Amino acid sequence: MIQKLTITILVDNNSVNPQLASEHGLSIWIEADDFRFLFDTGQSDSLIQNAEMLGIDLSTADALVLSHGHYDHTGGIVEVLNLNPGITVYCHPGVFVPRYSRQPDGTMKPVGMTPEASDALHKKNNFLHWVSGPTLISADIGITSQVPRITAFEDTGGAFYLDAEAMLPDMIDDDLAMWIRTESGIVIITGCCHSGLVNTLKYIEKLSDVSEIHTVIGGFHLLHASPERMKKTCDYLQSKKIARLVSCHCTGENAAKYLQKQCGEKLVSGAVGKKLSVSCQ
């Protein structure tokens, strides 16, 4: 099991310091013993600037894992690959699918990966690994691939489509998450959790064969969640006795307040520059 684990948020909607750039996006840096990897890349080159300010050398990363193909998680790909041409990339084959989101005024916004990012990834050849099923990138670090949707109350959390005419709903099948085994329990990292937070945690419990969850960090995509979904999500989280929940990016302000009320000090607000560790004894 991983003995030393540190996690640093490099891109998020909020920042602990005005000198660190915030944006609608997510990127997380993980150091698990001697293995370093990046989870998502935000939507711009803010990732590079923030990493430099925080003293993190992205050229030392062993791997890049992409949670799904939305622009706010893949926008820094070109810059990362320029810094680290030999990095191994893990992603679901669906990350390249064109996709759209219907806005409140009815207009359709492209939300997929940029052509530049897509081209850069396609040039990776032998360094690009398709995550078409559950994948271990080390003995104690795993990637879910597509998460089974077994709950009746969870959905993708928004009006997402595969076409600009809003005729083909996008189930965001490429949505994936990660887990890291430690002696204190598993640490789970989510991108947007479009498959649902409960679905994701239940699946990772099954894959990791570990029932004790220490930390869950990432976007929970609860900003459009119904009262029923919020209650059932919180009921599940409390039943698992999770030590720490770190809400980032797309969780939603109202949802974060609800989680804070229900979970108390276990709920930590994520922000660029926040560094977490897991004590592994």
Side-chain angles (χ1 to χ4, degrees):
M1 293 189 180
I2 298 299
Q3 299 299 309
K4 184 179 180 182
L5 178 64
T6 58
I7 299 171
T8 306
I9 300 173
L10 295 182
V11 176
D12 188 50
N13 298 33
N14 302 296
S15 172
V16 300
N17 182 332
Q19 293 183 321
L20 293 167
S22 60
E23 66 182 21
H24 178 78
L26 184 71
S27 181
I28 300 174
W29 174 257
I30 300 102
E31 298 179 53
D33 289 339
D34 296 328
F35 190 80
R36 301 180 178 90
F37 65 96
L38 188 64
F39 184 81
D40 287 342
T41 68
Q43 67 162 289
S44 72
D45 61 359
S46 293
L47 164 64
I48 306 300
Q49 301 170 28
N50 290 339
E52 290 178 352
M53 288 195 66
L54 293 168
I56 291 173
D57 185 357
L58 297 178
S59 70
T60 66
D62 298 294
L64 165 63
V65 180
L66 300 175
S67 67
H68 62 300
H70 280 163
Y71 75 99
D72 48 335
H73 296 258
T74 60
I77 284 175
V78 173
E79 288 79 9
V80 170
L81 298 187
N82 285 338
L83 277 174
N84 192 334
I87 193 171
T88 301
V89 181
Y90 294 87
C91 61
H92 187 279
V95 297
F96 299 110
V97 174
R99 45 211 351 168
Y100 302 83
S101 173
R102 186 170 57 207
Q103 303 302 294
D105 63 1
T107 59
M108 299 295 288
K109 175 184 177 181
V111 294
M113 187 184 300
T114 66
E116 294 78 12
S118 178
D119 289 346
L121 277 183
H122 276 109
K123 292 176 182 177
K124 289 295 290 178
N125 296 321
N126 294 337
F127 294 101
L128 182 59
H129 290 255
W130 299 122
V131 183
S132 299
T135 301
L136 288 177
I137 60 176
S138 80
D140 296 300
I141 302 174
I143 310 174
T144 61
S145 187
Q146 185 173 346
V147 175
R149 319 241 172 139
I150 60 175
T151 63
F153 59 89
E154 295 184 292
D155 55 34
T156 56
F160 297 105
Y161 297 89
L162 296 171
D163 63 322
E165 293 73 38
M167 298 296 290
L168 301 171
D170 183 4
M171 299 306 295
I172 316 180
D173 291 333
D174 54 322
D175 174 73
L176 55 79
M178 298 192 67
W179 75 90
I180 302 170
R181 290 192 190 95
T182 78
E183 293 184 0
S184 298
I186 52 175
V187 173
I188 294 173
I189 307 163
T190 68
C192 267
C193 238
H194 287 295
S195 302
L197 183 57
V198 176
N199 282 331
T200 301
L201 300 192
K202 283 186 174 182
Y203 190 46
I204 287 177
E205 270 192 76
K206 178 181 178 181
L207 292 175
S208 67
D209 199 27
V210 178
S211 60
E212 184 177 357
I213 301 173
H214 184 279
T215 297
V216 183
I217 178 172
F220 302 156
H221 220 286
L222 294 168
L223 66 167
H224 300 302
S226 66
E228 177 196 19
R229 180 175 180 178
M230 286 304 308
K231 182 181 185 305
K232 289 185 175 180
T233 297
C234 280
D235 287 347
Y236 179 80
L237 294 174
Q238 290 176 325
S239 74
K240 297 309 298 179
K241 297 181 172 61
I242 299 169
R244 181 169 54 190
L245 292 162
V246 186
S247 63
C248 302
H249 178 42
C250 59
T251 300
E253 185 177 345
N254 291 334
K257 289 179 180 177
Y258 185 94
L259 289 171
Q260 185 79 64
K261 183 178 180 180
Q262 299 299 317
C263 301
E265 62 183 17
K266 292 181 181 180
L267 194 283
V268 178
S269 297
V272 179
K274 187 157 289 187
K275 187 173 183 178
L276 309 165
S277 62
V278 176
S279 176
C280 306
Q281 301 177 0

